[in-house]
Amino acid sequence: MLQPDLGTSVDILLIMTAILFCRRTFLEMARGSERRRLWPVLIALVAFVSYRQARITAFLLHPDSDPQGAGFQLMQSLIAVGSGGFNGVGLMEGKQKLFYLPEAHTDFIYAVICEELGFLGAVFVITLFAVYGWRGMRAAFNAPDRFGSMLALGVTAMVIFQSLINFAVVLGMMPTKGIPLPFVSYGGSSLLVMLLATGVLLNISQQAGTSVEPASLRRMA
């Protein structure tokens, strides 16, 4: 809990928000004092940490403002994405991963995919996650009980939000954060957690349609 990992904390917050929103609890919280208490905490987590300030400054201004410092990783990522073109330079033929792009095998693996497989490969990866999200939401809505619905929604939100954050960081749409791409980035612990969560999601999907509860009780609201 004391590790300075704001990216994972934001990811967990998004998952919680999705679950609470579907339970209609989030709307009630948003109208109360919780909203006013949350923003100062988020601002403080950024304002009092120097490297987070530098990353956000480089993102807002441009990575060119600090090309050898906070903006270096984002610049190399954008170079890799732009170098891929439409068809890519070829599998295993990428140059940015060779001592130019930091963490090319983990957090910025999507930049390597864009460079080697081009626009077609990048869209294919996004399509795979879109299918995962569609199937996960379908399992959530057809789950046999409310707990299964919330669990399926949480697993789906975990994978989709994490992948969206990774895409946004690699493409320069968000400040640089250390969020791996699910199922793709190097790392045994991340892959193990994602596979176990997907196994639970498949089990919920398999049991869809076997509920004895009325349809009104199986809704997320």
Side-chain angles (χ1 to χ4, degrees), residues 40-101:
V41 174
L42 294 178
I43 294 174
L45 288 175
V46 175
F48 296 107
V49 181
S50 58
Y51 76 90
R52 291 173 184 162
Q53 293 180 12
R55 288 179 176 181
I56 292 180
T57 301
F59 167 75
L60 294 177
L61 298 178
H62 198 273
D64 288 338
S65 61
D66 190 9
Q68 296 299 323
F72 177 79
Q73 196 168 16
L74 180 55
M75 283 192 62
Q76 298 302 320
S77 174
L78 295 177
I79 291 173
V81 173
S83 301
F86 189 75
N87 296 321
V89 298
L91 190 63
M92 306 302 293
E93 297 296 330
K95 301 298 188 295
Q96 285 300 112
K97 63 184 180 182
L98 304 176
F99 308 108
Y100 295 103
L101 177 62

Side-chain angles (χ1 to χ4, degrees), residues 123-138 156 159-160 163-164 167:
V123 172
F124 178 72
V125 173
I126 294 177
T127 303
L128 291 178
F129 281 101
V131 172
Y132 187 102
W134 167 65
R135 292 290 298 175
M137 293 303 298
R138 182 178 177 182
T156 305
V159 175
I160 297 304
S163 60
L164 288 177
F167 294 150

